[in-house]
Amino acid sequence: MRQKLVTFITLFIAWIIFSGGISFDVLFVGTLVSLLTTSLFHDMLFRFSNHKLSLLDYLKKFGLILLFIPVFFYEAINSALKVSIHVFEKKPSFSPGIVKVKTHLTNVTAISILANLITLTPGTMTLDFDKGDRVYYIHWIDVKTREEAEARREIIERFESWLDVIFK
Amino acid sequence: MLIREIIAYIFMSIGAIFAIITVIGLIRFPDVYTRIHAAAVVLTISAAFLTFGVAIYVWEFFLSLKIVLIGVFFLIANPMATHSIARASYRTKVAKLKVRTVDEYSDYLGSEDK
């Protein structure tokens, strides 16, 4: 029930934003379309694995996500500048390679979000994830070290600690 | 000129500069994977800055919200496309790693085939 309600509200807000104004027609058609979509696909958008969380926990998570956005953009701009410097070198002098990085996250959502964040930051890109060993295979434009612990600190630790707190 | 417009122009020009850097990088970098890294700059930084700048420039509640939502969709959809291009071109051996220092993924794929 809660899953259906959250899906309906999310779809309805997205509908209102995209229709660009609030009037009777918009609300009427939006309700119908959101109800139809919710009744068909309510188990696809959100999955609640832990039903014990209260509303306060969700608010706390939302606040943490909002705090995380500037941190992410700071890291992204930092690494974008590092990649941009390579563009203007006379002979591009980088040492790309594929490294193996182990993670300690267990939540499926957290693992996939971490993979997407690694791909979004310029300079690193996730190629594959091994479910058995929980290991990312990451193409890195500037392999500074072949030590696994060093690479881990360099690439994923800055996001991993945040995701640890959010998906506790 | 309003101060809001100046801020919007600054955001949009940062996005445009990063886009130009990306194009130069696409031409100059040696192989597929490093070119994807150059493209990732435009996919995240440039798109985010441009959409944010345009949202400040129009300054209308629903229109700005719509543009920001488009930027969020950019950020959700881009890593999937990048990841699937890179993974497919590695696994089908269409593009080889021309420059490399270490390649631990080929060992993993080799152990999977056995």
Side-chain angles (χ1 to χ4, degrees):
Chain A
M1 187 62 217
R2 187 164 68 163
Q3 201 176 26
K4 284 182 185 174
L5 198 68
V6 173
T7 312
F8 176 76
I9 291 170
T10 314
L11 288 173
F12 197 58
I13 290 171
W15 168 271
I16 288 173
I17 290 171
F18 273 117
S19 57
I22 296 175
S23 66
F24 176 72
D25 304 351
V26 166
L27 293 181
F28 182 68
V29 179
T31 314
L32 283 185
V33 172
S34 305
L35 273 178
L36 185 69
T37 317
T38 308
S39 62
L40 290 175
F41 304 112
H42 63 89
D43 54 345
M44 281 183 168
L45 193 54
F46 294 106
R47 292 208 177 96
F48 293 104
S49 53
N50 190 352
H51 285 273
K52 284 166 209 147
L53 291 175
S54 65
L55 191 66
L56 192 70
D57 289 327
Y58 281 111
L59 280 178
K60 220 183 270 176
K61 273 188 189 185
F62 188 68
L64 277 172
I65 290 169
L66 282 187
L67 272 180
F68 177 64
I69 290 169
V71 175
F72 166 70
F73 272 103
Y74 171 72
E75 295 284 351
I77 291 169
N78 229 350
S79 44
L81 286 176
K82 273 181 204 158
V83 175
S84 308
I85 288 168
H86 285 306
V87 173
F88 294 111
E89 280 167 350
K90 219 171 199 175
K91 209 165 179 263
S93 66
F94 39 64
S95 48
I98 299 172
V99 293
K100 212 164 124 177
V101 179
K102 195 169 164 52
T103 177
H104 63 252
L105 294 172
T106 46
N107 193 326
V108 181
T109 318
I111 287 171
S112 55
I113 287 178
L114 181 57
N116 282 341
L117 287 175
I118 291 168
T119 313
L120 264 176
T121 27
T124 50
M125 172 173 71
T126 323
L127 278 177
D128 211 335
F129 179 70
D130 185 4
K131 269 183 205 155
D133 298 339
R134 282 196 278 138
V135 164
Y136 288 111
Y137 289 91
I138 296 173
H139 187 276
W140 194 6
I141 200 168
D142 225 347
V143 179
K144 284 174 202 144
T145 165
R146 298 170 81 152
E147 291 270 323
E148 210 181 306
E150 277 291 304
R152 181 166 179 280
R153 195 173 59 79
E154 202 63 52
I155 302 174
I156 67 170
E157 201 141 79
R158 51 195 178 177
F159 300 133
E160 206 178 24
S161 50
W162 279 87
L163 288 173
D164 242 359
V165 180
I166 292 174
F167 291 96
K168 205 165 27 177
Chain B
M1 203 196 251
L2 286 165
I3 207 153
R4 169 171 64 77
E5 284 185 4
I6 296 170
I7 293 170
Y9 284 135
I10 289 171
F11 271 113
M12 285 193 261
S13 40
I14 290 173
I17 289 166
F18 272 118
I20 292 168
I21 290 171
T22 299
V23 175
I24 301 170
L26 278 180
I27 297 167
R28 292 201 62 203
F29 280 0
D31 66 346
V32 172
Y33 305 97
T34 43
R35 279 179 184 158
I36 287 174
H37 283 305
V41 177
V42 85
L43 291 182
T44 53
I45 307 295
S46 186
F49 269 104
L50 267 177
T51 48
F52 203 61
V54 172
I56 293 173
Y57 184 75
V58 294
W59 206 249
E60 219 177 292
F61 182 71
F62 277 110
L63 205 52
S64 299
L65 217 56
K66 206 191 283 186
I67 292 165
V68 169
L69 211 60
I70 291 169
V72 172
F73 281 138
F74 260 115
L75 290 184
I76 294 171
N78 281 328
M80 296 176 198
T82 309
H83 157 78
S84 50
I85 289 169
R87 187 162 181 266
S89 59
Y90 193 96
R91 288 185 83 115
T92 56
K93 300 187 175 76
V94 173
K96 284 174 187 158
L97 283 169
K98 269 186 194 159
V99 194
R100 62 150 187 256
T101 51
V102 50
D103 187 359
E104 275 162 346
Y105 191 43
S106 66
D107 305 340
Y108 169 65
L109 287 184
S111 69
E112 201 182 45
D113 286 340
K114 275 171 203 166

